[in-house]
Amino acid sequence: VTYCALVTACERGGQWRKALELFESMERQGVRANIVFYNALLLGCRARGEWNLALDFLSRIRKNKLTPIANTYQHLLSMCEEERRWDIAVELLQEIEAS
Protein backbone atom coordinates (compact mmCIF):
# COMPACT_ATOMS: atom_id res chain seq x y z
CA VAL A 1 0.00 0.00 0.00
CA THR A 2 2.82 2.41 0.85
CA TYR A 3 4.55 1.90 -2.50
CA CYS A 4 1.27 2.39 -4.33
CA ALA A 5 0.60 5.64 -2.47
CA LEU A 6 4.12 6.87 -3.23
CA VAL A 7 3.87 6.03 -6.93
CA THR A 8 0.47 7.70 -7.18
CA ALA A 9 1.80 10.81 -5.44
CA CYS A 10 4.84 10.90 -7.74
CA GLU A 11 2.67 10.48 -10.83
CA ARG A 12 0.28 13.21 -9.76
CA GLY A 13 3.15 15.48 -8.80
CA GLY A 14 4.81 15.20 -12.18
CA GLN A 15 7.62 12.99 -10.89
CA TRP A 16 7.11 10.15 -13.35
CA ARG A 17 10.74 9.00 -13.39
CA LYS A 18 10.71 8.82 -9.60
CA ALA A 19 7.57 6.68 -9.76
CA LEU A 20 9.34 4.27 -12.12
CA GLU A 21 12.39 4.19 -9.83
CA LEU A 22 10.14 3.27 -6.91
CA PHE A 23 8.62 0.48 -8.96
CA GLU A 24 12.05 -0.88 -9.84
CA SER A 25 13.14 -0.64 -6.19
CA MET A 26 10.03 -2.48 -5.10
CA GLU A 27 10.71 -5.28 -7.58
CA ARG A 28 14.34 -5.59 -6.43
CA GLN A 29 13.08 -6.03 -2.87
CA GLY A 30 10.73 -8.79 -3.98
CA VAL A 31 7.55 -6.84 -3.27
CA ARG A 32 4.81 -7.90 -5.67
CA ALA A 33 2.68 -5.16 -7.22
CA ASN A 34 -1.10 -5.49 -7.09
CA ILE A 35 -3.53 -4.38 -9.79
CA VAL A 36 -4.14 -0.99 -8.15
CA PHE A 37 -0.41 -0.33 -8.29
CA TYR A 38 -0.27 -1.28 -11.97
CA ASN A 39 -3.27 0.97 -12.66
CA ALA A 40 -1.33 3.92 -11.21
CA LEU A 41 1.57 3.06 -13.52
CA LEU A 42 -0.77 2.68 -16.51
CA LEU A 43 -2.32 6.07 -15.76
CA GLY A 44 1.16 7.58 -15.87
CA CYS A 45 1.91 5.79 -19.13
CA ARG A 46 -1.31 7.08 -20.62
CA ALA A 47 -0.64 10.66 -19.54
CA ARG A 48 2.82 10.57 -21.11
CA GLY A 49 2.14 8.50 -24.19
CA GLU A 50 4.40 5.69 -22.97
CA TRP A 51 2.80 3.02 -25.17
CA ASN A 52 5.62 0.46 -25.05
CA LEU A 53 5.93 0.75 -21.29
CA ALA A 54 2.17 0.26 -20.93
CA LEU A 55 2.43 -2.93 -22.99
CA ASP A 56 5.27 -4.09 -20.74
CA PHE A 57 3.08 -3.51 -17.68
CA LEU A 58 0.21 -5.40 -19.35
CA SER A 59 2.59 -8.30 -19.91
CA ARG A 60 3.61 -8.21 -16.25
CA ILE A 61 -0.03 -8.12 -15.14
CA ARG A 62 -0.70 -11.25 -17.15
CA LYS A 63 2.53 -12.95 -16.07
CA ASN A 64 1.69 -12.33 -12.41
CA LYS A 65 -1.84 -13.65 -12.98
CA LEU A 66 -3.45 -10.46 -11.70
CA THR A 67 -7.07 -9.77 -12.56
CA PRO A 68 -7.49 -6.47 -14.41
CA ILE A 69 -10.30 -4.22 -13.22
CA ALA A 70 -12.35 -1.65 -15.15
CA ASN A 71 -9.70 1.08 -14.76
CA THR A 72 -7.03 -1.23 -16.13
CA TYR A 73 -8.99 -1.76 -19.32
CA GLN A 74 -10.00 1.90 -19.50
CA HIS A 75 -6.38 3.08 -19.48
CA LEU A 76 -5.27 0.44 -21.98
CA LEU A 77 -8.19 0.92 -24.38
CA SER A 78 -7.71 4.69 -24.33
CA MET A 79 -4.07 4.20 -25.24
CA CYS A 80 -5.05 1.76 -28.00
CA GLU A 81 -7.31 4.44 -29.44
CA GLU A 82 -4.62 7.13 -29.22
CA GLU A 83 -2.04 4.83 -30.83
CA ARG A 84 -4.55 3.38 -33.32
CA ARG A 85 -3.72 -0.14 -32.15
CA TRP A 86 -7.04 -1.72 -32.97
CA ASP A 87 -5.54 -5.22 -32.90
CA ILE A 88 -4.70 -4.90 -29.22
CA ALA A 89 -8.01 -3.17 -28.49
CA VAL A 90 -9.88 -6.14 -29.98
CA GLU A 91 -7.72 -8.52 -27.92
CA LEU A 92 -8.56 -6.57 -24.74
CA LEU A 93 -12.27 -6.52 -25.54
CA GLN A 94 -12.22 -10.29 -26.06
CA GLU A 95 -10.44 -10.64 -22.72
CA ILE A 96 -13.17 -8.55 -21.06
CA GLU A 97 -15.92 -10.67 -22.60
CA ALA A 98 -14.22 -13.89 -21.48
CA SER A 99 -13.93 -12.77 -17.86
Side-chain angles (χ1 to χ4, degrees):
V1 174
T2 302
Y3 274 110
C4 189
L6 286 170
V7 166
T8 300
C10 287
E11 193 280 321
R12 288 182 182 163
Q15 299 294 318
W16 178 237
R17 290 291 157 211
K18 185 64 176 172
L20 293 176
E21 288 172 14
L22 285 168
F23 175 69
E24 290 168 3
S25 172
M26 185 185 85
E27 282 195 321
R28 282 192 304 273
Q29 294 177 30
V31 178
R32 186 171 171 215
N34 63 20
I35 197 63
V36 174
F37 189 92
Y38 277 110
N39 283 341
L41 292 172
L42 288 171
L43 180 61
C45 289
R46 182 178 168 196
R48 285 154 191 82
E50 296 273 359
W51 173 250
N52 289 326
L53 188 55
L55 289 179
D56 179 57
F57 290 140
L58 176 59
S59 175
R60 291 173 190 224
I61 288 168
R62 289 175 172 161
K63 177 182 160 197
N64 292 324
K65 296 183 178 21
L66 296 174
T67 303
I69 58 175
N71 286 345
T72 312
Y73 290 115
Q74 177 186 358
H75 298 319
L76 290 166
L77 288 169
S78 292
M79 290 188 76
C80 286
E81 179 183 12
E82 292 161 9
E83 295 293 324
R84 300 195 178 286
R85 291 301 307 266
W86 311 122
D87 56 325
I88 296 175
V90 168
E91 180 185 320
L92 291 170
L93 290 171
Q94 289 171 339
E95 190 175 308
I96 292 168
E97 286 179 354
S99 61

